[in-house]
């Protein structure tokens, strides 16, 4: 009997110890260590939501535990016995009004933060944003800098304290682009051009990953985000432009084939309009769908590419019809 009571007494302590040990296995909680304005705002929303939920959850759990202990069946119990008790207006008002008020407040806060965290909403800054186009492949990440004419694989370098405008699509199954310390994730989908603004406030290396199951090597779809000073970023651009490796449409087609490739590559040149061609690759002549405020230039270029493809197909069709008519004669 004494052993059973001892086990019951130690059970809560054992559960706490297990939670602490398991928490140590996961390392640093990156989402709670933000290094940019977007991630910082998201952390604030998580904290506020958690505290507001605990305001309701903790009293409810404490009251539940007290009721179970106070009214348990035992010899010599002095708990009052009221078999006909059914209603108490004061208690009903308390335990309904408080959750309603908290839920209403949480709804207002969530709407406010959701609007503020719209992925395509530009980050206010005195510095002009840098555009980086992201293409998720099987099982690798391709980054192209259209304004600079360079590209990288599984690695992206950005200047700190500068807004980065990511334009995202997929030339493979749907994936999710995520840099936990800079902001939330956003999906990459074929035939769609998504927009995500992020910024790193501090110089450092940040972990990036694909956060959506996309096949056998999806766990290897990680990339390094290197936030540097503007001078180091300019040096990176100059060095990449001297790289002997050039990205052509032929080499891109080889790169897009399913395969595991963890190594970092640098491309001194990239094909013109590569991102737009990838976006319209699976649209079958239809205009590409833009999500989360994809830039009008991207959409316009994509529509031009799609329109040119339609005209080419129509021309080939007319030539074929004309050739068939000649053959029938």
């Amino acid at each position: 009997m004494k052993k059973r009571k001892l086990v019951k007494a130690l059970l809560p302590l054992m559960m706490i110890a297990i939670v602490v040990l398991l928490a140590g296995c996961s390392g640093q909680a990156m989402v709670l260590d933000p290094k940019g304005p977007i991630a910082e705002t998201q952390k604030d929303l998580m904290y506020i939501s958690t505290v507001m939920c605990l305001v309701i959850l903790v009293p409810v759990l404490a009251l539940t535990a007290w009721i179970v202990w106070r009214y348990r069946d035992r010899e010599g119990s002095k708990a009052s016995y009221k078999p006909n008790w059914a209603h108490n207006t004061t208690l009903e008002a308390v335990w309904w009004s408080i959750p309603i008020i908290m839920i209403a407040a949480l709804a207002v806060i969530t709407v406010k933060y959701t609007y503020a965290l719209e992925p395509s909403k530009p980050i206010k800054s005195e510095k002009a944003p840098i555009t980086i186009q992201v293409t998720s492949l099987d099982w690798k990440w391709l980054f192209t800098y259209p304004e600079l004419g360079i590209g990288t694989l599984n690695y992206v370098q950005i200047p700190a304290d500068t807004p980065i405008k990511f334009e995202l699509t997929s030339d493979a199954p749907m994936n999710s682009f995520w840099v936990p310390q800079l902001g939330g994730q956003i999906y990459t989908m074929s035939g769609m051009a998504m927009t995500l603004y992020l910024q790193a406030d501090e110089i450092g290396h940040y972990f990036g990953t694909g956060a959506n199951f996309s096949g056998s090597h999806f766990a290897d779809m990680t990339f390094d985000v290197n936030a540097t000073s503007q001078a180091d970023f300019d040096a990176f651009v100059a060095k990449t432009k001297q790289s002997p490796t050039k990205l052509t449409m032929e080499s891109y087609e080889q790169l897009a084939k399913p395969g595991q490739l963890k190594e970092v590559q640098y491309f001194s040149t990239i094909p013109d309009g590569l991102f737009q061609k990838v976006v319209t690759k699976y649209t079958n002549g239809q205009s590409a769908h833009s999500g989360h405020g994809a830039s009008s230039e991207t959409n316009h270029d994509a529509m031009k590419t799609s329109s040119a493809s339609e005209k080419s197909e129509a021309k080939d069709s007319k030539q074929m019809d004309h050739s068939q008519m000649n053959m029938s004669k």
Side-chain angles (χ1 to χ4, degrees), residues 29 32 38 42 55 60 73 79 99 126 161 173 209 225 280 282 324:
L32 300 180
I38 302 300
Q42 290 175 339
V55 168
V60 169
D73 184 20
E126 296 179 355
D161 199 30
T209 184
V225 181
T280 58
Y282 303 101
Q324 289 176 349

Side-chain angles (χ1 to χ4, degrees), residues 24-47:
C25 296
S26 61
Q28 183 185 31
M30 289 183 286
V31 293
L32 300 180
D33 184 29
K35 300 299 182 182
I38 302 300
E40 185 70 38
T41 305
Q42 290 175 339
K43 186 196 73 172
D44 292 342
L45 177 58
M46 286 188 289
Y47 280 175

Side-chain angles (χ1 to χ4, degrees), residues 146-192:
E147 299 163 346
L148 303 173
I150 60 175
T152 57
L153 186 73
N154 298 328
Y155 172 84
V156 58
Q157 186 161 329
I158 60 176
D161 199 30
T162 301
I164 306 298
K165 179 183 180 183
F166 288 103
E167 295 180 346
L168 307 101
T169 191
S170 175
D171 198 0
M174 182 175 70
N175 214 303
S176 187
F177 177 86
W178 190 26
V179 186
Q181 289 183 279
L182 299 186
Q185 57 185 296
I186 188 170
Y187 285 111
T188 60
M189 293 173 274
S190 59
M192 294 186 67

Side-chain angles (χ1 to χ4, degrees), residues 89-253:
T89 302
T90 302
L91 290 178
E92 291 283 352
V94 170
W95 62 50
W96 279 107
S97 61
I98 293 178
I100 290 174
I101 293 172
M102 296 301 293
I103 291 172
L106 184 60
V108 172
I109 293 172
T110 301
V111 169
K112 179 182 177 181
Y113 273 85
T114 300
Y115 176 76
L117 291 170
E118 161 62 34
S120 62
K121 189 175 182 179
I123 298 174
K124 293 182 180 180
S125 175
E126 296 179 355
K127 299 180 180 180
I130 295 176
T131 299
I132 299 178
Q133 294 171 334
V134 184
T135 305
S136 60
L137 306 170
D138 274 340
W139 288 272
K140 54 200 84 87
W141 291 94
L142 176 64
F143 300 92
T144 55
Y145 299 69
E147 299 163 346
L148 303 173
I150 60 175
T152 57
L153 186 73
N154 298 328
Y155 172 84
V156 58
Q157 186 161 329
I158 60 176
D161 199 30
T162 301
I164 306 298
K165 179 183 180 183
F166 288 103
E167 295 180 346
L168 307 101
T169 191
S170 175
D171 198 0
M174 182 175 70
N175 214 303
S176 187
F177 177 86
W178 190 26
V179 186
Q181 289 183 279
L182 299 186
Q185 57 185 296
I186 188 170
Y187 285 111
T188 60
M189 293 173 274
S190 59
M192 294 186 67
M194 312 295 285
T195 300
L196 174 67
Y197 278 89
L198 295 178
Q199 177 177 307
D201 289 339
E202 300 179 15
I203 293 175
H205 289 268
Y206 304 112
F207 174 76
T209 184
N212 193 71
F213 181 81
S214 60
S216 58
H217 296 290
F218 81 99
D220 297 322
M221 286 191 67
T222 60
F223 56 92
D224 184 30
V225 181
N226 187 15
T228 63
S229 64
Q230 184 63 49
D232 288 342
F233 177 76
D234 293 338
F236 153 77
V237 173
K239 183 178 179 180
T240 304
K241 287 185 176 181
Q242 300 300 319
S243 172
T245 307
K246 302 179 185 295
L247 185 65
T248 63
M249 285 306 302
E250 291 75 16
S251 59
Y252 170 78
E253 292 298 334

